């Protein structure tokens, strides 16, 4: 395939493009599905994708096709020749230069017996320990993706990335009623013998079965939240969006000129996590992912533009990938909870995208009221309102415990000053 | 695409050939950030054997027999868990359905249009910080055949544009609003004339100027009037998902409520298969990706919870008629129960009167994304809304979230307008994305609003 990628790149250049990038990826997936506490479906999928980017006269065009046969490639290049003429000129368009490497990571072959054994173990453990939890949907899968990327600027990368992954979504039902749905999941280098011990699966079920009887808060108040790692992902998602191309190019990022400034509590350090299970060592633009510390002790170290965005805005380019880990703190989860006079332990935030300035209001799901340091009743129809940028600054504590979801490795966060309604 | 001969492996099997073409162009302040086209082709087979499904797909033309046998071996591999087969329904639809599109725009035409809209906005409005424009289209061609005689060709297509304007408020923080133009077919089917765009952007900019001075909504239970554009997402998120039979089997509270009153008698809600009032809808499904003929499903009738949406398998488990709701998004996806064209039906009130009767409340006009729950506790973001004070619209409110128990909210509905607004932008998310449409009139009800 590497030869084929090089041949297609040459075909792009022969067609009159000045620069080009060719990516071929082939993905094999073996996936077992559970529905409603029963194994339901086994999937085997094989797919390939050819992605092309080409530049001519400072005009850029991209295309993807699932066929690698010569006729399809020739048709695609001809379409690109036609479409590139309409693209506006932009000196920032460029292909990745001088990236070389071959990477093999993770399990390279699917062990279908291990997949079946993991599913059986999961179902058995659910049945014994949390019989009221209904697995509405669960996938246990192995994926192997082989990717070749070449560019006209001396880039040739090969990656063979294998990983297992699990995703579970479900809810609990008993004589009191139904709980909100909840979910967890992530990537693994090997399937576990005890699935409840990984990806916070056991904790998720343990909480869910206590959420069938809920209450609304009696009155509005201002209080603290303890965000579980799955809820912390929402914060990070908003932060990385603010540091990415769309927000930066449209001048809508609240961190447009904040590099070097304190944007979070001094206890917070956030790094990328390319070494995590299932995380590709190369990105789609054709760069090797580099280690990046985005926030160091609360101070913003860099933004996260693409290669195009960095050239357009004259910003440093830091190929970071899409996986993040937050350094552990110095407070245990138990002490963190004990320190909350009034607030909530938040399992999941259900909300629309925060406003560009960070304002948000969201429904807290799979959540429990905290009163005088004690976890009391499960909550329903409760919203919190605040500002995400301010929440990062208002982090009062970070837990010693960190949950590992493969790409994401995240602790619990205590944040003060949220409005409950 | 054409139908093929294939081996009848397993108790039931199906074979799908699926072609998906998409384009996505993004322009920010005149810079073209994305000019992408995607063309995916694939074949898949699914087999039901002894209570288990096996699925296999390939982006290469592997053939029905090879994929069918692989799918069968996948189904057989799960027999170690013990078998418990149920006979599936035997209806199979035969027919071809294509959306009659006008000629589509070339990428050059789309880029010219994006430039024209960008220039129009920058020249017309003084305080803009940014103009973000997105144009997307997608076309699905599917041939589905199965072992109970279905031979279906279905074509679904849509085109849409997002036009987002951003200004800065007095604290130099960004404030934005978006207008969407979307519809069935291709760009050639949309009204993208500059006259229409200018009118829509003028309205959007007026709202944006008001939102620049917006105040926080009052948090808690409020009287809200939902504009017709919001009723569709309420229908989809609040009661649509909890009436999908797989969600019901997963423990949704709706499982115990069929035949009971769950909404005001003013509320009737239907998942339409393909047509409403004699006109073809935005996501017409005549037969689903299991080859089942599609039927309208009345979810709520005059406030009573009535029926659920089904696949072949769930219809058997519930002893209901199959409804044709099993749909797959990509060539390597298996069919799941998905909504098609979900709507609350119009009533007899007038929107102006519904606002005039509110002493203290909110008029909510635009939404972002939403989410459903097994408990029917829904949420969706509100990007544009105004206070209602003594029957008149007041100040704009900052972005907020509408939430609550769908059952409580629908029971509180005391007025339904005679309007009907349909739209098909965005994706519904489940295990796979899906293109759907939703619609409804204006509603007045009580629900939780996020705020101070």
């Amino acid at each position: 395939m590497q030869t084929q990628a090089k041949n297609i790149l040459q075909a792009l250049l022969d067609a009159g493009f000045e620069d080009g990038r060719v990516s071929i990826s082939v993905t094999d997936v073996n996936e077992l599905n559970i529905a409603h506490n029963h194994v339901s479906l086994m999937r085997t999928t094989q797919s390939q994708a050819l992605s092309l980017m080409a530049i001519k006269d400072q005009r850029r065009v991209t295309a993807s096709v699932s066929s690698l046969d010569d006729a399809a490639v020739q048709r695609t290049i001809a379409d690109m020749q036609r479409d590139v003429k309409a693209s506006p000129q932009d000196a920032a368009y460029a292909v990745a230069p001088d990236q070389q490497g071959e990477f093999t990571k993770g399990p390279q072959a699917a062990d279908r017996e291990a997949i079946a054994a993991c599913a059986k173990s999961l179902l058995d453990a659910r049945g014994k320990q949390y019989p009221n939890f209904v697995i509405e949907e669960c996938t246990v899968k192995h994926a192997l993706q082989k990717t070749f990327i070449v560019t006209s600027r001396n880039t040739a990368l090969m990656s063979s990335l294998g990983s297992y992954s699990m995703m579970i979504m479900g809810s609990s039902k008993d004589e009191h009623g139904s709980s909100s749905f909840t979910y967890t999941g992530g990537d693994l280098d090997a399937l576990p013998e005890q699935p409840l011990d990984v990806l916070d699966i056991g904790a998720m079920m343990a909480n869910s079965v206590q959420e069938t009887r809920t209450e609304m808060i009696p009155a509005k108040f201002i209080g603290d939240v303890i965000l579980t790692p799955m809820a912390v992902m929402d914060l990070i998602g908003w932060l990385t969006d603010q540091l990415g191309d769309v927000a930066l190019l449209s001048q809508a990022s609240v961190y447009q000129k904040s590099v070097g400034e304190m944007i979070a509590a001094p206890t917070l350090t956030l790094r990328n996590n390319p070494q995590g299970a299932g995380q590709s060592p190369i990105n789609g633009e054709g760069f090797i992912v580099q280690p990046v510390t985005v926030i160091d002790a609360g101070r913003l170290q860099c933004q996260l533009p693409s290669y195009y965005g960095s050239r357009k805005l004259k910003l440093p380019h830091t190929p970071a990938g899409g996986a993040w880990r937050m350094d552990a703190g110095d407070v245990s989860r138990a002490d963190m909870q004990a320190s909350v006079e009034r607030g909530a332990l938040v399992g999941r935030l259900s909300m629309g995208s925060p406003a560009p300035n960070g304002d948000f209001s969201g429904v807290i799901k799979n959540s429990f009221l905290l009163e005088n340091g004690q976890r009391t009743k499960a909550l329903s129809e409760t919203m919190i309102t605040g500002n995400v940028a301010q929440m990062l600054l208002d982090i009062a504590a970070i837990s010693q415990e960190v949950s590992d979801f493969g790409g994401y490795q995240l602790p619990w966060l205590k944040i003060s000053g949220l409005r409950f309604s | 695409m054409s139908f093929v001969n294939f081996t009848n492996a397993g108790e039931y099997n199906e074979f799908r050939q699926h072609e998906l073409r998409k384009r996505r162009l993004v322009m920010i302040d005149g810079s073209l950030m994305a000019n992408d086209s995607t063309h995916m082709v694939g074949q898949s087979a699914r087999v039901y054997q002894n209570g288990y499904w096996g699925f296999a797909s390939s982006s290469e033309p592997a053939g029905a027999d090879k994929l069918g046998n692989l799918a069968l071996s996948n189904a057989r591999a799960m027999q170690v868990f013990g078998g418990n087969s149920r006979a599936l329904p035997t209806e199979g639809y035969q027919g071809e359905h294509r959306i009659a599109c006008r000629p589509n725009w070339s990428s050059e035409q789309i880029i010219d249009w994006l430039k024209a809209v960008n220039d129009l906005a920058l020249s017309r409005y003084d305080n803009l910080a940014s103009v973000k424009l997105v144009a997307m289209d997608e076309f699905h061609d599917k041939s589905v055949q199965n072992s109970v005689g279905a031979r279906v060709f279905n074509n679904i297509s849509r085109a849409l544009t997002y036009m987002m304007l951003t200004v800065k408020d007095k604290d130099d923080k960004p404030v934005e609003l978006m207008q969407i133009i979307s519809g069935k077919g291709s760009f050639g089917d949309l009204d993208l004339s500059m006259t229409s765009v200018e009118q829509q952007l003028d309205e959007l900019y007026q709202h944006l100027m008001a939102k620049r001075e917006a105040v926080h909504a009052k948090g808690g239970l409020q009287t809200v009037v939902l504009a017709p554009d919001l009723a569709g997402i309420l229908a989809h998120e609040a009661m649509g998902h909890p009436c999908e039979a797989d969600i019901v089997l997963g423990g949704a509270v709706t499982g115990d409520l069929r035949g009971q009153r769950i909404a005001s008698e003013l509320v009737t809600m239907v998942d339409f298969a393909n047509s409403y009032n004699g006109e073809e809808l935005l996501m017409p499904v005549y037969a689903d990706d299991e080859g089942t003929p599609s039927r309208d499903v009345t979810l709520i009738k005059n406030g009573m919870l009535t029926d659920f949406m089904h696949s072949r398998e769930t219809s058997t488990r519930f002893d209901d008629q199959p409804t044709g709701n099993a749909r797959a998004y990509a060539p390597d996806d298996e069919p799941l129960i998905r909504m098609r064209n979900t709507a609350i039906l119009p009533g007899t009130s007038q929107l102006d009167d519904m606002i005039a009767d509110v002493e203290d409340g909110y008029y909510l006009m635009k939404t972002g994304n939403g989410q459903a729950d097994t408990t029917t506790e829904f949420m969706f973001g509100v990007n544009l809304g105004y206070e209602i004070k003594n029957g008149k619209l007041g100040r704009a409110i900052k972005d907020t979230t509408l939430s609550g128990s769908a059952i409580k909210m629908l029971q509180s509905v005391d007025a339904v307008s005679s309007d009907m607004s349909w739209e098909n932008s965005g994706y519904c998310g489940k295990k796979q994305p899906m293109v759907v449409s939703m619609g409804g009139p204006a509603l007045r009800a009580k629900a939780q609003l996020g705020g101070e």
Side-chain angles (χ1 to χ4, degrees), chain B residues 96-124:
Chain B
E96 297 198 5
H97 297 278
R98 299 169 195 274
I99 291 176
C101 297
R102 290 185 178 147
N104 202 0
W105 284 14
S106 67
S107 295
E108 183 176 5
Q109 284 175 293
I110 297 170
I111 291 169
D112 285 346
W113 183 84
L114 294 172
K115 285 179 191 166
V117 175
N118 180 71
D119 293 346
L120 172 74
L122 290 175
S123 65
R124 199 167 173 84

Side-chain angles (χ1 to χ4, degrees), chain A residues 391-408:
Chain A
M391 285 173 78
L392 290 170
L393 288 162
D394 290 342
I395 292 170
I398 299 176
S399 73
Q400 295 165 337
E401 299 89 344
V402 172
S403 290
D404 187 350
F405 301 97
Y408 282 87

Side-chain angles (χ1 to χ4, degrees), chain A residues 31 33 36 40 42-44 48 60 62 64 66 93 112 136 178-181 350 352 361 365 381, chain B residues 31-33 36-37 39 41 53 55 60 74 246-247 251 334 369 371 373-374 377 379 401 408 431:
Chain A
E31 177 186 293
N33 288 201
H36 319 119
S40 62
M42 172 69 92
R43 284 160 43 92
T44 307
Q48 58 188 24
R60 181 178 71 174
T62 60
S64 299
S66 58
Y93 294 143
R112 285 164 59 105
E136 183 190 326
S178 297
S179 73
S180 288
F181 75 80
S350 176
S361 57
K365 296 291 186 87
E381 299 185 55
Chain B
S31 296
L32 195 65
M33 273 191 63
D36 302 328
S37 65
H39 186 186
V41 178
W53 292 96
F55 180 86
E60 292 283 281
N74 281 338
D246 51 346
I247 305 289
E334 75 279 14
N369 59 339
Q371 196 171 64
D373 203 337
T374 43
E377 188 182 11
M379 63 73 47
T401 300
K408 286 185 196 171
K431 182 185 178 189

Side-chain angles (χ1 to χ4, degrees), chain A residues 79-202:
Chain A
D79 289 347
M80 292 171 74
Q81 284 178 296
R82 181 197 63 210
D83 290 345
V84 76
K85 295 173 189 162
S87 173
Q89 286 185 308
D90 193 333
Y93 294 143
V95 298
D98 304 321
Q99 303 285 303
Q100 304 279 335
E102 295 192 357
F103 306 90
T104 299
K105 183 178 172 186
Q108 297 293 298
D111 183 342
R112 285 164 59 105
E113 288 183 6
I115 290 174
C118 180
K120 185 172 188 316
S121 179
L122 175 70
L123 289 169
D124 288 347
R126 180 215 68 85
K128 284 177 188 156
Q129 297 181 49
Y130 305 108
N132 291 336
F133 185 84
V134 181
I135 299 176
E136 183 190 326
E137 181 184 317
C138 168
T139 60
V140 184
K141 82 174 178 184
H142 175 272
L144 178 67
Q145 183 173 54
K146 294 189 175 180
T147 304
F148 300 86
I149 301 180
V150 293
T151 76
S152 55
R153 300 282 169 172
N154 195 34
T155 287
L157 297 170
M158 189 285 287
S159 159
S160 182
L161 174 65
S163 65
Y164 288 99
S165 64
M166 295 179 69
M167 188 286 299
I168 299 183
M169 188 184 85
S171 59
S172 298
K173 191 168 186 178
D174 61 19
E175 68 275 18
H176 303 299
S178 297
S179 73
S180 288
F181 75 80
T182 182
Y183 60 87
T184 187
D187 297 313
L188 301 152
D189 283 329
L191 289 171
E193 288 184 13
Q194 303 295 330
L196 267 54
D197 293 343
V198 300
L199 305 172
D200 283 359
I201 293 170

Side-chain angles (χ1 to χ4, degrees), chain A residues 146-355:
Chain A
K146 294 189 175 180
T147 304
F148 300 86
I149 301 180
V150 293
T151 76
S152 55
R153 300 282 169 172
N154 195 34
T155 287
L157 297 170
M158 189 285 287
S159 159
S160 182
L161 174 65
S163 65
Y164 288 99
S165 64
M166 295 179 69
M167 188 286 299
I168 299 183
M169 188 184 85
S171 59
S172 298
K173 191 168 186 178
D174 61 19
E175 68 275 18
H176 303 299
S178 297
S179 73
S180 288
F181 75 80
T182 182
Y183 60 87
T184 187
D187 297 313
L188 301 152
D189 283 329
L191 289 171
E193 288 184 13
Q194 303 295 330
L196 267 54
D197 293 343
V198 300
L199 305 172
D200 283 359
I201 293 170
M204 174 194 72
M205 290 185 182
N207 281 334
S208 177
V209 295
Q210 300 173 66
E211 296 164 8
T212 56
R213 194 160 39 178
T214 59
E215 293 182 34
M216 297 169 67
I217 57 170
K220 299 179 193 177
F221 67 90
I222 293 176
D224 301 338
V225 291
I226 293 178
L227 300 183
T228 60
M230 288 297 284
V232 174
M233 279 187 203
D234 292 331
L235 252 68
I236 293 176
W238 178 85
L239 173 69
T240 52
D241 281 351
Q242 289 291 312
L243 299 173
D245 271 10
V246 172
L248 293 173
L249 286 167
S250 60
Q251 306 290 315
S253 171
V254 295
Y255 303 124
Q256 198 81 31
K257 296 170 186 169
S258 300
V259 173
E261 294 179 6
M262 292 294 289
I263 67 159
T267 47
L268 190 143
T269 293
L270 183 69
R271 312 168 200 274
N272 68 341
N273 188 31
Q275 60 271 38
Q279 301 310 303
S280 177
I282 61 177
N283 71 13
E285 287 189 302
F287 286 92
I288 298 168
V289 175
Q290 302 294 327
V292 175
T293 300
V294 178
I295 298 174
D296 189 5
R299 197 173 300 279
L300 183 65
Q301 301 298 302
C302 62
Q303 294 158 326
L304 300 169
S306 67
Y307 189 46
Y308 166 76
S310 69
R311 287 169 57 89
K312 183 80 178 171
L313 296 168
K314 298 185 171 38
L315 295 171
H317 180 230
T318 48
W324 303 98
R325 64 192 169 98
M326 194 178 285
D327 285 6
D330 56 2
V331 183
S332 72
R333 283 169 49 193
D335 288 346
M336 189 184 277
Q337 187 171 302
S339 71
V340 175
E341 191 174 322
R342 197 172 193 204
L345 175 65
V346 176
R348 177 165 66 93
L349 273 167
S350 176
M351 61 184 191
S353 300

